[in-house]
Each structure stands twice: as C-alpha cells, then as structure tokens.
C-alpha cells in the first residue's frame, strides 16, 4: 500500500533487524531528507552498512517499515522496500546510487568515466547526454574539477 512522505526521500519506521540472535537495529526510526547529503556515522558494528543494505533491499527488516519516496513512480508516493516485488525492487534500485565501505572505483578509468560507466552499460543515452549527466552529477557533489583525474 502506497503511503506519502513529506520532504523525506527515505523513512525508517520502528525498524528492527538482526543477524541470527544478534540484534543490530532495534526500533530505529529515521528520516532522510530529499535533496540533502546524508552521512551515517557510528561505531564499528553499529548498523551503518545494515541500514544501507536495508535501503537497497539486499536484506529485509524483521519488523517495521522502510519507505522510499517515488518507488511506485509517483513524486510523493512511497512504498515499503521490504514489500516490493523483485521487479519493483529492481526499478527502485535503478534510481539509487550507493557506495559501500569497501566499494571500489575502476582504477584505470578517470573520475568522469567511472561515473559514466553505469550510464553507458544500463541506458541507451547518447554520448552527449551521458556527458551532460556526468558533469551535472560531478558538479552536484563538488567534483566537476576532478573529472579527468584517475
């Protein structure tokens, strides 16, 4: 069932998750605002990577909801990631960008080409449009000047 989020892109509602008998998240509620850079910080083993895996639908919460705005295609409609079908989850993931702690970039490609890689692999965008999108994304995170660095 679709719900509405105010200015949040992601909302965790009373989320609980554990690995076997080890409880990692217990009743966590959190709102991640739309259009803001958000960092998860905390102690090792505190659940940061677990939250990212829950958001990406790689694991599912044992209790509570994890709402993603626009997962169903509407600007404000939100759906619970944990209840999405595989097809709907893949569609939601195509709208995400996530880099885990041990994620790596291609060391033999420039910053520009690393950002362009998934656009070239997963879309039919023209080279000119890929260029524009990459430069816009690099600019959004303050890295436009680093485009040619390795």
């Amino acid at each position: 069932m679709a719900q509405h989020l105010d200015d949040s892109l992601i909302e965790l509602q009373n989320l609980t998750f554990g690995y076997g008998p080890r409880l990692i998240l217990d009743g966590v509620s959190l709102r991640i605002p739309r259009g803001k850079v958000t960092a998860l910080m905390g102690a090792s083993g505190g659940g940061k990577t677990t939250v990212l895996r829950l958001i990406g639908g790689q694991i599912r919460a044992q209790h509570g909801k994890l709402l993603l705005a626009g997962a169903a295609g509407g600007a404000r409609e939100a759906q619970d990631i944990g209840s999405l079908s595989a097809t709907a989850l893949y569609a939601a993931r195509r709208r995400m960008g996530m880099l885990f702690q041990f994620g790596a970039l291609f060391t033999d490609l420039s910053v520009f080409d690393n950002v362009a890689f998934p656009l070239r692999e997963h879309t039919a965008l023209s080279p000119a449009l890929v260029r524009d999108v990459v430069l816009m994304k690099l600019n959004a995170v303050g890295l436009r000047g680093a485009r040619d660095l390795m």
Side-chain angles (χ1 to χ4, degrees), residues 74-88:
R76 294 241 184 248
E77 280 189 10
Q79 290 211 320
D80 183 7
I81 288 289
S83 66
L84 294 179
S85 68
T87 301

Side-chain angles (χ1 to χ4, degrees), residues 41-131:
M41 298 176 12
S44 178
K48 302 175 298 292
T49 299
T50 298
V51 169
L52 291 176
R53 288 184 176 145
L54 287 161
I55 291 170
Q58 295 165 304
I59 55 177
R60 296 184 189 262
Q62 294 153 341
H63 178 74
K65 291 184 179 182
L66 194 152
L67 302 175
L68 174 65
R76 294 241 184 248
E77 280 189 10
Q79 290 211 320
D80 183 7
I81 288 289
S83 66
L84 294 179
S85 68
T87 301
L89 181 58
Y90 290 140
R93 284 177 178 161
R94 283 192 294 273
R95 298 177 46 240
M96 295 180 190
M98 196 175 297
L99 180 63
F100 291 99
Q101 181 176 349
F102 296 109
L105 298 174
F106 297 112
T107 57
D108 60 332
L109 296 180
S110 68
V111 170
F112 180 95
D113 287 326
N114 267 282
V115 175
F117 183 83
L119 295 172
R120 292 173 177 149
E121 289 292 312
H122 300 293
T123 71
L125 298 176
S126 70
L129 191 52
V130 167
R131 178 191 170 279

Side-chain angles (χ1 to χ4, degrees), residues 2-13 30-34 65-71 74-80:
Q3 298 185 30
H4 292 281
L5 298 180
D6 295 326
D7 290 329
S8 298
L9 178 62
I10 298 168
E11 185 173 330
L12 284 65
Q13 297 177 344
L30 167 71
R31 288 184 179 190
I32 299 174
R34 182 183 303 274
K65 291 184 179 182
L66 194 152
L67 302 175
L68 174 65
R76 294 241 184 248
E77 280 189 10
Q79 290 211 320
D80 183 7

